[in-house]
Amino acid sequence: MLLGKQKYTQLIKAEAQRLGFLSCGVSKADFLEAEAPRLENWLKNGFQGEMNYMENHFDKRLDPRLLVDGAKSVVSLLLNYYPNQLQNEDSYKISKYAYGQDYHFVIKDKLKTLLHFIQENIGEVSGRAFVDSAPVLDKAWAAKSGLGWIGKHSNLLTQKTGSFYFIAELIIDLELEYDSPTTDHCGTCTACIDACPTEAIVAPYVVDGSKCISYFTIELKDNLPQEMKGKFDDWMFGCDVCQDVCPWNRFSKPHNEPAFSPKDELLGFSKKDWEEITEETFRKVFQKSAVKRTKFEGIKRNINFIKE
């Protein structure tokens, strides 16, 4: 069976590469022992803010066998989204991951293709695809699978390509050859902690989600807190500051996924253009984009908060 496991693992990794994934790692579908106390403390401190969904399914977040019957392996995958071009400098900023089409759909399609390939080439394998829409601790699994280490800003980091990529998983009931975690290469660097505009990185490796600009501009549905006035650094959807200042992101290379290419307006719009954007233009520019999550009213609220 050992030969089988090795062969199957190689097959899956080769197909993942063919589908355009940056890398693929595999870990045993087991209880995430080290993560349990961390998650518990994070929730106890209220770092989830109004993201109440983070409190749900505590057990499922830590044990993939509760999500997929008979789960044996977690196949973690990274997909690069670092853009070729950046927005106009005189602009309100959008997180790079949202430049193109909504990644959920793009990645889900690739994962379905990968699962179908596994079933066609290996046999009767059951599993589920996950793209941050279910209680799965993506970063923990990717780190366990040797795809990178979790940095002080709590994002997954790799020495070769930094952190501008999506993480997704296939949890399957097939035993594979498992990868080993890599080592932490943050060293004494505190660039991300020092640069965070709202001081959301409250300690190395600990982010208070309720203080993060991404949380305010995307998750928070109420009025934005007045004490955050002047701290958004022109970010109207998400925030990339902790990634932009990370030395490992010097090695980021542009993606080659056509679906992630942005509309010209997104790159070219000035602050004035964003301030005057109509709902019709918003719908056109963000037709299949993750930005639709905040809705037109949300973007207008964020812009008004920044410019006032």
Side-chain angles (χ1 to χ4, degrees):
M1 184 60 200
L2 194 65
L3 179 70
K5 274 199 284 194
Q6 196 176 20
K7 192 180 155 203
Y8 294 156
T9 308
Q10 284 167 352
L11 261 180
I12 292 168
K13 288 184 177 182
E15 178 63 7
Q17 194 176 8
R18 193 193 68 80
L19 288 167
F21 286 105
L22 194 62
S23 50
C24 172
V26 186
S27 44
K28 186 174 168 41
D30 223 335
F31 183 72
L32 287 171
E33 209 149 323
E35 293 302 319
R38 273 190 220 134
L39 180 59
E40 202 170 349
N41 287 332
W42 192 80
L43 292 167
K44 210 180 280 178
N45 284 317
F47 291 163
Q48 72 278 27
E50 289 181 21
M51 296 181 285
N52 300 327
Y53 59 85
M54 290 299 298
E55 297 159 44
N56 306 334
H57 312 298
F58 185 82
D59 295 343
K60 284 183 181 173
R61 280 181 201 282
L62 296 164
D63 196 338
R65 295 166 300 184
L66 300 175
L67 291 166
V68 173
D69 286 343
K72 298 275 196 309
S73 303
V74 179
V75 180
S76 292
L77 302 127
L78 305 182
L79 187 65
N80 182 17
Y81 67 78
Y82 191 74
N84 291 301
Q85 291 171 279
L86 300 176
Q87 284 177 272
N88 175 355
E89 282 190 17
D90 166 41
S91 181
Y92 295 112
K93 295 178 270 192
I94 286 176
S95 198
K96 296 174 194 60
Y97 81 82
Y99 273 20
Q101 281 182 32
D102 190 331
Y103 64 97
H104 292 92
F105 305 119
V106 178
I107 299 176
K108 213 55 181 270
D109 284 348
K110 288 182 189 289
L111 291 178
K112 280 181 189 162
T113 306
L114 182 57
L115 186 56
H116 184 66
F117 170 87
I118 292 168
Q119 289 161 341
E120 293 251 289
N121 292 273
I122 295 173
E124 208 172 301
V125 177
S126 292
R128 280 176 69 189
F130 297 94
V131 188
D132 87 10
S133 51
V136 177
L137 294 174
D138 306 287
K139 292 179 280 194
W141 285 110
K144 207 174 157 71
S145 307
L147 296 184
W149 74 95
I150 294 175
K152 290 180 185 175
H153 49 19
S154 90
N155 292 307
L156 190 81
L157 273 171
T158 59
Q159 283 178 288
K160 283 185 182 169
T161 49
S163 62
F164 288 108
Y165 39 69
F166 300 113
I167 307 173
E169 300 80 31
L170 268 188
I171 298 177
I172 52 176
D173 62 356
L174 174 71
E175 215 167 301
L176 294 167
E177 199 173 46
Y178 304 124
D179 295 297
S180 307
T182 178
T183 46
D184 184 314
H185 295 277
C186 283
T188 56
C189 178
T190 56
C192 57
I193 299 171
D194 303 337
C196 179
T198 54
E199 297 175 2
I201 308 172
V202 291
Y205 311 102
V206 183
V207 174
D208 179 347
S210 72
K211 280 185 176 173
C212 179
I213 292 173
S214 289
Y215 167 77
F216 291 128
T217 55
I218 303 171
E219 301 284 350
L220 190 65
K221 300 299 175 246
D222 303 331
N223 291 331
L224 296 167
Q226 283 306 306
E227 65 268 22
M228 288 296 158
K229 207 94 179 106
K231 293 186 178 178
F232 276 22
D233 196 24
D234 285 340
W235 290 95
M236 66 170 167
F237 183 92
C239 176
D240 289 338
V241 171
C242 62
Q243 297 191 81
D244 286 338
V245 300
C246 175
W248 291 111
N249 277 321
R250 292 194 307 260
F251 305 112
S252 300
K253 293 178 184 71
H255 66 77
N256 49 17
E257 174 53 63
F260 292 158
S261 296
K263 295 254 173 53
D264 291 341
E265 293 93 330
L266 188 144
L267 296 180
F269 268 18
S270 66
K271 282 185 177 173
K272 194 170 185 304
D273 293 323
W274 287 117
E275 286 162 17
E276 294 171 358
I277 193 171
T278 62
E279 190 156 4
E280 192 186 350
T281 306
F282 175 83
R283 277 207 297 268
K284 183 186 155 216
V285 176
F286 299 115
Q287 196 184 358
K288 295 178 177 175
S289 157
V291 177
K292 280 192 357 196
R293 201 161 151 215
T294 59
K295 303 192 173 69
F296 177 66
E297 296 74 27
I299 282 286
K300 291 298 279 184
R301 174 202 68 170
N302 296 346
I303 290 171
N304 289 332
F305 185 78
I306 299 166
K307 74 170 189 181
E308 278 167 8

